[in-house]
Amino acid sequence: GAGVSQTPSNKVTEKGKYVELRCDPISGHTALYWYRQSLGQGPEFLIYFQGTGAADDSGLPNDRFFAVRPEGSVSTLKIQRTERGDSAVYLCASSFSVSGANVLTFGAGSRLTVL
Amino acid sequence: GIQVEQSPPDLILQEGANSTLRCNFSDSVNNLQWFHQNPWGQLINLFYIPSGTKQNGRLSATTVATERYSLLYISSSQTTDSGVYFCAVEALRGNKLVFGAGTILRVKS
């Protein structure tokens, strides 16, 4: 597509529930990133995919968070047993390479609210 | 890991004024991007500028990689320039962008 698409744009859930957030990257971009942004802060890195594999998942806060990208395109971020502290905007980005550096383009984000 | 500091944290301008935002980083980088986050939360890529100077309309940016800082210049500011400006860098041996805390810009008419 023309840009990075994220769904849902808003998700309200109850504490303890399971949530999936989807990211559809720009066509042809091989790298995909997930970030989390809390109110008043800059985005914080969660996980990075190069193709189908997670190249760096060092930002995932705990084992309740998991992400997949089975065919090297669409990615799903999965959060189990949600907690109120998980409330944030979850941002996805895809990138192309310029001289070995990854230039990121972000989607509009999925706002998660855990009640 | 690499540290990113942005200044000032907050800035209020009268429409038509010019401003300079600064980004300092703690290590050598192979990527530096400036983003504008609009009031709806969308992060818009303004510049990819690991070194040198670029201009795009009323905006320009300069990165002095050897001194580990970057500057974003906004000239003749408009109310639509309001929002949060983020600097993000990728270290030479890194694989991800690390964001600063941002500069909140308010342009008043």
Side-chain angles (χ1 to χ4, degrees), chain B residues 46-74:
Chain B
L46 298 175
F47 294 103
Y48 160 71
I49 186 166
S51 63
T53 297
K54 290 185 178 179
Q55 179 152 9
N56 184 2
R58 295 181 297 102
L59 302 182
S60 64
T62 295
T63 297
V64 183
T66 53
E67 297 187 21
R68 298 183 182 169
Y69 73 89
S70 183
L71 302 173
L72 177 69
Y73 304 97
I74 304 173

Side-chain angles (χ1 to χ4, degrees), chain A residues 1 3-5 22-34 49-53 68-76 92-94:
Chain A
V4 178
S5 176
R22 176 189 166 106
C23 174
D24 200 342
I26 293 172
S27 178
H29 283 191
T30 57
L32 184 147
Y33 301 76
W34 284 99
F49 288 90
Q50 187 62 256
T52 60
V68 296
R69 195 186 185 201
E71 298 178 359
S73 179
V74 171
S75 176
T76 304
C92 177
S94 66

Side-chain angles (χ1 to χ4, degrees), chain B residues 4-83:
Chain B
V4 184
E5 292 184 357
Q6 290 187 243
S7 60
D10 274 280
L11 187 58
I12 300 174
L13 296 177
Q14 197 63 39
E15 196 169 29
N18 304 328
S19 64
T20 302
L21 281 57
R22 186 176 179 102
C23 172
N24 292 333
F25 44 95
S26 61
D27 203 350
S28 300
V29 300
N30 65 0
N31 184 2
L32 187 148
Q33 289 183 247
W34 282 97
F35 294 91
H36 175 219
Q37 190 164 43
N38 64 24
W40 297 270
Q42 176 74 56
L43 273 169
I44 308 296
N45 184 22
L46 298 175
F47 294 103
Y48 160 71
I49 186 166
S51 63
T53 297
K54 290 185 178 179
Q55 179 152 9
N56 184 2
R58 295 181 297 102
L59 302 182
S60 64
T62 295
T63 297
V64 183
T66 53
E67 297 187 21
R68 298 183 182 169
Y69 73 89
S70 183
L71 302 173
L72 177 69
Y73 304 97
I74 304 173
S75 65
S76 304
S77 58
Q78 301 176 358
T79 56
T80 51
D81 294 333
S82 297

